[in-house]
Amino acid sequence: MSSSTEFSLAEAVAVLTRTPAALDALLRGLPNSWVYCNEGKDTWSAFDIVGHLIVGERTDWMPRARIILDHGEARPFDPFDRFAQERESQGKSLEQLLDEFARLRKENLAALRELNLQSEDLTRRGRHPALGSVTLSELLATWAVHDLTHLHQLSRVMADQYRDVVGPWKAYLGVLQCNGHSAP
Amino acid sequence: MSSSTEFSLAEAVAVLTRTPAALDALLRGLPNSWVYCNEGKDTWSAFDIVGHLIVGERTDWMPRARIILDHGEARPFDPFDRFAQERESQGKSLEQLLDEFARLRKENLAALRELNLQSEDLTRRGRHPALGSVTLSELLATWAVHDLTHLHQLSRVMADQYRDVVGPWKAYLGVLQCNGHSAP
C-alpha cells in the first residue's frame, strides 16, 4: 500500500486525537538537556515546538475552519504568528504546555465533531493570506500533517544532540542527514 | 542551548524508556490506512518499523553491548539483519508488535541497569563488522538515536499519505520535503 490521494475526516481525526498523548509519552519528565536543546541559533527546542502547537490550536485550525464555513473566500484567514510561542510559553514548564496542548486539542476536536461536517462541506473554500484559495479538507489534512511535521522536527532536534557521540554509526542514521528542508 | 557533544547514560536511558509508550500512543488503534501505508516499493510502513525495532531489541543493542564487555574487539558483532521483520512480524497484529516491543525494551533496560556500567566501561571498544572499532558509549548513544531515526521515518511515512490532499500547504510542511536521506 503506497500513497493515498484521498482525504478522510475520520483518518485525520485519528491522527489528531493521538498526538498529545504521543508527545506526552515522549517528552514528559525528560531531562532538560533534551527539552531545551535546539539545532542552533533561531531554531526550536521540544519546548518551543509544544508551545507552537498550542498557538496553532488557539489561532489557526479551528478558527480558520470557522472562517471558511462562515465567510468562504470573502474573508481571508488571519496570518498565523509562527513566533507567538516565544511570548506565550514564557514562565511555563514543559509539563504545563503538554497539559495545555492536550486540553486545547480535545476541545477543538469536540468542536469539530459538533460541526457535523458532510462531504460537501469539505469542498468549501476559504482564502489563505499567502497561498490563496484552499478547501476545508486541505485545511484539516494540513492540521494532521502539521502534527507529523513537528514530530519529524522533534526527532531531528533531539537526535542532533548525539550527532557526535554516535561515532561512526552517524552514517547509518538517516535522521542525522536531515537538514530540516528550510522548514520544520 | 545547542548541540551537546557529551554522552550521558542516564539521558540515553531517558529516551529509550519513553519510546515504546510514545509509539503506542501514536499508533495503537489507528486505521489500517495509516498502519500499513509506506512510501512505495521496498519502503517501510509503521507496522514494518515496529517490527524492525523488535528485531533490534532481540539481536542488536544488548547482545552487542555484551560482546563488547565479554570479548572487546576480539569478536566482531554479528551483522544485523535489517529485513528480519519481514518474516518475524508475519501473522501478528500491530497491537501485538507494540506489546512485544514494550516488553523487550523493558527487559533490555533492566539488563542494562544490572550491568551497573561505570564511566570507564563506556570507553571499552568492540568491532562492528562494517564500521570497525566502536565504543560502548557509541553503541548506547546509537540505540537512542536509532529510536529517533525511526520516529523521524514514521512521521514522514504517515505524512506522505497526505502529500496531495494538503493542497498548496505542501510548501510549508517540511516533512513532505524529506526524501529519507537514503536511510530511515
Side-chain angles (χ1 to χ4, degrees), chain A residues 1-115:
Chain A
M1 197 186 303
S2 184
S3 284
S4 158
T5 50
E6 282 177 46
F7 171 76
S8 146
L9 182 57
E11 271 180 18
V13 167
V15 170
L16 290 165
T17 303
R18 284 163 175 76
T19 306
L23 289 177
D24 199 281
L26 194 66
L27 297 175
R28 188 177 295 264
L30 268 188
N32 284 349
S33 51
W34 292 117
V35 171
Y36 297 103
C37 66
N38 61 28
E39 297 172 289
K41 191 171 182 306
D42 296 331
T43 66
W44 289 1
S45 66
F47 184 82
D48 298 326
I49 290 168
V50 181
H52 167 74
L53 290 170
I54 288 171
V55 178
E57 293 305 303
R58 284 231 176 84
T59 69
D60 192 330
W61 313 108
M62 284 303 292
R64 287 180 171 189
R66 290 201 183 90
I67 290 173
I68 291 177
L69 294 170
D70 294 346
H71 304 281
E73 297 188 78
R75 155 139 162 49
F77 307 148
D78 298 324
F80 180 69
D81 182 354
R82 290 187 60 242
F83 302 98
Q85 67 278 0
E86 290 178 13
R87 302 183 304 276
E88 297 192 8
S89 300
Q90 268 186 18
K92 297 181 181 166
S93 68
L94 177 71
E95 284 65 26
Q96 285 175 297
L97 295 188
L98 288 167
D99 288 341
E100 193 173 348
F101 176 52
R103 181 178 57 76
L104 290 169
R105 174 61 58 91
K106 197 172 171 186
E107 289 172 7
N108 280 327
L109 291 179
L112 179 65
R113 265 194 308 278
E114 278 186 26
L115 291 177

